[in-house]
């Protein structure tokens, strides 16, 4: 049997994303049917439950719900129900559970609890026959196909896409801004190759990485930090750009690498002050995003421009490639990170 080369699964699945995203947009009408059922029971507010990469996707959805729908939204702590037995009144609440596998016991239990407490429950998962889908009233299949790499890549971006399509449809949208997302994803991957290699060469020996972003892009900073930690074993921390200036910036110095997610829009403009501050402290800044050229940085990787609320779907693509490249350059295999399994079950 031919031995699988390190990182082969992760590399292949990163490359599949343009087709996966384009396929999801083609299923907009199917997702809109779920949105219509939500619209028939207008919620007072929304709650989102998730773990790991899916938690970052849920944070992205929180921004979408608050900005596009004008509804309050919050991230749930599943342990309040699973460990502490909390049973809040969730009548007229939209409860969205995000899980690629749909198999984590705490997410299943908190969804079952929310449904008993009166919430309209919706699962967003890559496993439509999972226990989570059975526990929820409605479901959205992200349709990314089997993901063999331990580190989530195509399931993460597909989850973002599915959440956008769902929330856009709730407001009556037809996904017009996402029509060419597959082409833009391919353009981003192709255009980032040189910049990704330069970043890998520059940061392969770094020990400490800080990732940061604001607005919709904060989710990308969190996901980027997770990818660097789980594939390259880096001491990576993620901060909102606003929170970074509230104290952690004091720990930034010339030994710190900063991966800044800066796409065009309100969030990207708000990062200017942040990056000026870390640059003055000697940090080595890598800017990734459609507004990377507009901020102080040692390296820049451009991302295809789009409306701000879709930017996280594109800006995560070169960051995934950086995580893959750094892992390989440091002698690792991102398809088999130590101590990790594809499905993590918690309660």
């Amino acid at each position: 049997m031919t031995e699988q080369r390190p990182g082969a699964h992760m590399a292949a699945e990163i490359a599949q994303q343009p087709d996966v995203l384009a396929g999801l947009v083609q299923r907009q009408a199917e997702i809109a049917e779920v949105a219509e059922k939500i619209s028939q029971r207008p919620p007072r507010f929304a709650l989102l439950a998730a773990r790991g990469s899916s938690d970052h996707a849920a944070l992205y959805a929180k921004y979408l719900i608050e900005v596009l729908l004008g509804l309050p939204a919050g991230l749930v702590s599943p342990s309040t129900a699973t460990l502490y037995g909390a049973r809040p009144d969730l009548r007229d609440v939209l409860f969205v559970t995000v899980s690629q596998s749909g198999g984590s016991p705490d997410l299943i239990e908190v969804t079952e609890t929310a449904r008993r407490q009166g919430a309209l429950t919706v699962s967003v998962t890559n496993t439509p026959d999972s226990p989570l889908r059975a526990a929820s009233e409605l479901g959205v299949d992200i349709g990314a196909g089997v993901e063999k790499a331990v580190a989530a890549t195509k399931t993460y971006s597909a989850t973002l896409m599915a959440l956008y399509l769902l929330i856009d449809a709730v407001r009556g949208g037809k996904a017009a801004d996402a029509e060419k997302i597959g082409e833009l994803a391919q353009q981003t991957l192709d255009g980032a190759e040189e910049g990704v290699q330069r970043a890998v060469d520059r940061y392969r020996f770094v020990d400490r990485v800080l990732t940061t972003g604001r607005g919709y892009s904060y989710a990308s900073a969190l996901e980027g930090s997770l990818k660097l930690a789980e594939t390259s074993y880096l001491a990576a921390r993620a901060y909102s750009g606003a929170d970074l200036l509230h104290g952690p910036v004091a720990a930034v110095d010339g030994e710190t690498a900063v991966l800044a997610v800066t796409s065009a829009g309100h969030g990207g403009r708000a990062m200017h002050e942040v990056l000026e501050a870390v640059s003055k402290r000697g940090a080595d800044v890598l800017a990734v995003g459609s507004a990377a050229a507009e901020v102080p940085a040692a390296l820049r990787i451009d991302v295809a421009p789009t409306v701000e609320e879709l930017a996280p779907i594109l800006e995560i693509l070169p960051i995934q490639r950086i995580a893959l490249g750094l892992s390989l350059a440091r002698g690792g295999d991102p398809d088999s990170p130590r101590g990790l399994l594809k499905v993590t079950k918690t309660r």
Side-chain angles (χ1 to χ4, degrees), residues 116-172:
R116 285 194 298 268
Q117 295 304 112
L120 173 59
T121 52
V122 182
S123 62
V124 179
T125 177
N126 196 44
T127 314
D129 59 351
S130 64
L132 175 61
R133 176 61 190 94
S136 57
E137 187 171 344
L138 303 173
V140 174
D141 176 12
I142 71 171
V146 176
E147 190 172 58
K148 296 180 180 179
V150 172
T153 54
K154 65 177 182 176
T155 55
Y156 177 73
S157 61
T159 300
L160 298 185
M161 188 76 256
L163 287 164
Y164 173 82
L165 292 171
L166 177 66
I167 294 163
D168 177 63
V170 170
R171 67 169 175 170

Side-chain angles (χ1 to χ4, degrees), residues 271-282:
M271 287 297 295
H272 286 224
E273 179 186 4
V274 178
L275 297 183
E276 287 172 1
V278 298
S279 295
K280 287 178 182 178
R281 298 191 61 83

Side-chain angles (χ1 to χ4, degrees), residues 4-177:
Q4 186 80 29
R5 63 181 175 83
H9 289 316
M10 186 175 178
E13 288 161 3
I14 290 173
Q16 291 168 17
Q17 290 175 103
D19 288 340
V20 170
L21 294 170
L24 257 169
V25 175
Q26 291 174 358
R27 293 173 45 222
Q28 189 273 344
E30 172 190 327
I31 295 172
E33 291 178 5
V34 179
E36 174 60 26
K37 293 176 181 177
I38 293 171
S39 299
Q40 291 170 2
R41 293 171 57 181
R44 293 181 291 120
F45 59 90
L47 294 174
L48 300 115
R51 294 288 191 195
S53 287
S54 294
D55 200 35
H56 306 151
L59 177 64
Y60 167 69
K62 179 180 185 294
Y63 275 89
L64 290 175
I65 291 168
E66 292 184 342
V67 176
L68 302 186
L69 301 184
L71 290 175
L75 301 179
V76 168
S77 299
S79 60
T80 59
T82 62
L83 300 184
Y84 295 97
R87 298 294 182 266
D89 181 355
L90 297 180
R91 287 172 294 179
D92 301 322
V93 172
L94 174 63
F95 193 98
V96 181
T97 310
V98 187
S99 171
Q100 292 149 15
S101 70
S104 187
D106 55 350
L107 295 179
I108 296 165
E109 184 177 340
V110 75
T111 303
E112 292 171 338
T113 300
R115 190 170 181 178
R116 285 194 298 268
Q117 295 304 112
L120 173 59
T121 52
V122 182
S123 62
V124 179
T125 177
N126 196 44
T127 314
D129 59 351
S130 64
L132 175 61
R133 176 61 190 94
S136 57
E137 187 171 344
L138 303 173
V140 174
D141 176 12
I142 71 171
V146 176
E147 190 172 58
K148 296 180 180 179
V150 172
T153 54
K154 65 177 182 176
T155 55
Y156 177 73
S157 61
T159 300
L160 298 185
M161 188 76 256
L163 287 164
Y164 173 82
L165 292 171
L166 177 66
I167 294 163
D168 177 63
V170 170
R171 67 169 175 170
K174 303 290 186 183
D177 290 328

